[in-house]
Amino acid sequence: MHSDLQAQLAFHLTGQKTAAGPQPVDAFELIPGLLARYRDLTALRYDFPLVLTSHDGGIVPLSRLVDEALANESERARKQALRREREIRAMLAGGAGGLLSKLWNVPIALAADGELADCDARLPARFVGHAWRAIQERKARPLRERIERLIARLSDILAVDFARSDEGRSAQRLRASFGAAYEQSFDFEAMSRLLARALPAHPLPERRRRRIESLLQRLRSQQFGPFVFDSCAAALSAYRERLPELVALSKAIAAARLEADGEYVEDRHDAFFEGCGDGLLAAEGLSEFPGYLVRLNGAELGMPQNAQLAEMLASAMPVKALVQFDDILDRSPVGGRPGFGLRSRALAGMALGLAEVYVLQCCAADLYQLRDRVLKGLESPGAALFSVFSGASGESGELAPYLVAAAASESRAFPAFSYDPAAEGGALFSLAGNPQPQLDWPLRELAYEDAGHQRVLEEVAFTLADFVACDGRYAGWFARVPKERCNGGMIPVRESVTAQPSGRPETVPYILMADGHDVLHKVIVAEELIGETRRSLDFWRSLQERQHVRETPAAPVAEPAKPVAAAAAPAVTEPQKQPPSDAPCIETARCTSCDECTRINSRMFAYDANKQAYIADVEAGTYRELVEAAESCQVSIIHPGKPRNPAEPGLDELIERAEPFL
Amino acid sequence: MTDTACLLRLYEEKYELEDYQSGVPRWCSGCGDNAILAAVQRLCRDEALRPEKTVFVSGIGCSSRFPHYMNTYGFHGIHGRALPVAEGIRMARPDLHVFVNTGDGDCCSIGAAHWLHAVRYNMHMSVFLHDNQIYGLTKMQASPTSPKGTKSNTTPRGSSLEALNPLTVTLGVQNVSFVAQAVDWMPDVLYEVVRAAFHHQGFSFVRILQRCPEWLPDRFDPWMQDPKRVLRLDKTGHDPANLESARALASRDDPIPVGVLYRNPQAPCYEDLRRSQGLRTPELIRSGLEAEFDRFTVWP
């Protein structure tokens, strides 16, 4: 046994293989044991394929659409539908695509239609692009309506001016205006003469007419996008070119509103609009205009592109950048150690350091589960960065990209996290979406049959070593140990990585892998990979510390046996909620719009769309004003709560006065 | 400019509350007129009433400031004559939505005669009686609806007459078709009543008990503080088609019944009786002219 361990140590430290030692592993000969039952994804029902719905920009799994449609169907219909779903899944895995309605040939109506999207190299761009376009359309609608309304009103002014002109009052024009229904009812010649006598022409001043025409031209030329780019340079250049147009458009909207309301005063407003420049467009003002989507390939992010990306994100440009990584196991070009995931980590670090940027990192397999966070980022007014690993490096043999992507997340090689600068209650940074985020790696139960045909349950961690084992390029870092040469010196990678290194190693780390016949093997791992695994763990721990969810290494890791399919609930800290009675509130639905509270403090109390009061900004006033408003309220619907500032003068008296309204 | 039948393009109408707001109301803080204004503006928004097709008519009083605060057509008439003006508008412009804002003095005192016949004529309009039970604009004199014993500048020892009940009076007039009551401190009920009045085809009479924080600040406190003293008719199973039941409810003032007391959609409207069913050329002329003139709502 000692010689076996020596041979294994020799491989672990130097990569040296001997005839009597561990056996080499061919690329794709083995897969991690935990992935063995998922070889054929088409036989399983899971989130993919997704349907990118046509009518509302939604994204929904095909399996959910089918389940909803089968709610009251017969068993026969159910089998037919599920069989077709499986077939579609297999077709998409083979590279086919198209509209769901074209592929769904079962006489059971599904609630939605749209393009089908499998988890492949195209998914991140399609997913984010589809959601982004829907959001842009929704965002553009009020602006578009506002502009159309202004165009209509300004056009009306010109039309009325024309109608009051000699040409507009001509018999021919009047006849056309009244329409065929009144053709025989009026003497239009007489009417024209009457109008000419009764209404002297008062044409619009020429200057005003030119101004209105210029405004109309500006409003009509507004572009609503979509503005999609494949490079930061192109996006930055387009943004810089468009910025003066946005300033001009903002001016045009403001001027058009004044013109339409008849409030434009040339002496005052001409100079104002001439003089105001970029200052008219505060950062908030940009949010109502169409944004930009930039799609980047993570592999092509070199120094200049990184700098441009940083500039784009830091400049408060309304841009959403999607950086797609297809391969996170490419070796660092710097040389020396492999440096797995360096680019993605550097990108994450840069984006998190910008503080005002919404950041979401996840793998493509989790995009649907984290769709709320994706949508939140796409809806945020400022810049957002989405870093997505597609799993489609092409280096994992027959393993589906979905599995490779999920494995990256599971092994913490590409952990999911989000940073929302607008979140409240300390919930800026989140590790939601990661399995068992309080642990170094998620623990899964592996059930197998031992030599004595007994069922064995073993808790196994999926580490970076397991993830790298999926990649054919690094088969040389693994060596299989025949069963008869296994010894006590072999320990799981998890234990090897978390143990404190002390001089010369006396143990050899291994992972469990399965061959094509689903037979489990212990496969030892080279030291170089352990080093990478350690570095990956350090990064994961730094993310945990950001959110304070890490369990200390001394805490017992063994948890009660969990079914493989069930995920443990992440132990994230919920923001503290204030007890309802301490916070001031108004029963808005009972408000009688009497102006009592708004006259006390119009920033603290505001009217909603139904002209009923609510507390707009409790920080905008004092507790005294809250109490006075409660006392003045005619229907006693204002409840001042408890004072927030203990230093406010006269609190004792105020608390006593507030008592009847609590 | 193309040769089209319509010179002005009418864009899709979607109104906000601000589209009906005109000027800052100058009623006292806490005045119930604010709640009525808010409810009516919400009605206009929710029903997408075109401002150029809507007119508010008033007489004299605090309530009659109403048209000034609505961004629609308005007619602030003379004391007690809001109803005949509104009836004239209905005859001349049957295409307009006509609302009347009147007060307990304007309607039940000087305008009482017009009121009775307006109910009988049953012309299609919504009448809101802002009943604060006092003359407010002229600084506190007793009105016909002031409760017995009300002390005011003209009744320093308390009014000696029983108050007039606008509801029972209205329900006593032939051809009455819609009577309702609301209170300004229950905005949800107020809105529902105002909406029901708008949708009724005929003369909709709504009495709105409203607070006057200046002259009768505590008048309705007992009812405001005890919800049981306000009887919501929509929750009692009252049948608005039953005139006798409506009259019985109308005579009660504690609890105050709120909601639709009586509704008769079959009562004939004067406009329908008056107008000939045959095609008349002057009518055609007028409708054509009106349709054309209405397009010119923009004043350059």
Side-chain angles (χ1 to χ4, degrees), chain B residues 54-60 63-68 70 72-78 81-90 96-103 106 125-128 130:
Chain B
T54 309
V55 60
F56 285 82
V57 184
S58 65
I60 295 294
S63 64
S64 299
R65 296 285 307 161
F66 204 97
H68 294 268
M70 289 295 298
T72 59
Y73 284 112
F75 195 111
H76 190 176
I78 50 178
R81 321 300 166 187
L83 285 168
V85 170
E87 288 167 317
I89 293 174
R90 279 297 304 163
L96 298 181
H97 303 293
V98 178
F99 296 87
V100 175
N101 299 93
T102 182
D106 191 73
M125 62 184 71
S126 300
V127 177
F128 302 130
H130 300 222

Side-chain angles (χ1 to χ4, degrees), chain A residues 577-598:
Chain A
K577 288 192 175 68
Q578 292 285 347
S581 59
D582 287 349
C585 63
I586 297 182
E587 296 171 59
T588 299
R590 290 179 52 210
C591 171
T592 61
S593 319
C594 70
D595 289 348
E596 289 277 15
C597 58
T598 53

Side-chain angles (χ1 to χ4, degrees), chain A residues 232-233 236 294 296 301 303-315 319 321-323 347 350 354 384-385:
Chain A
C232 297
L236 278 167
V294 181
L296 302 169
L301 268 188
M303 284 303 294
Q305 292 87 348
N306 265 328
Q308 285 168 348
L309 178 61
E311 181 191 348
M312 209 169 60
L313 295 174
S315 66
V319 64
L322 168 65
V323 179
L347 181 68
M350 179 269 289
L354 290 174
L385 172 71

Side-chain angles (χ1 to χ4, degrees), chain A residues 389-409:
Chain A
F389 172 56
S390 69
S393 65
E395 304 286 357
S396 302
E398 291 180 356
L399 278 181
Y402 173 84
L403 267 189
V404 176
S409 174

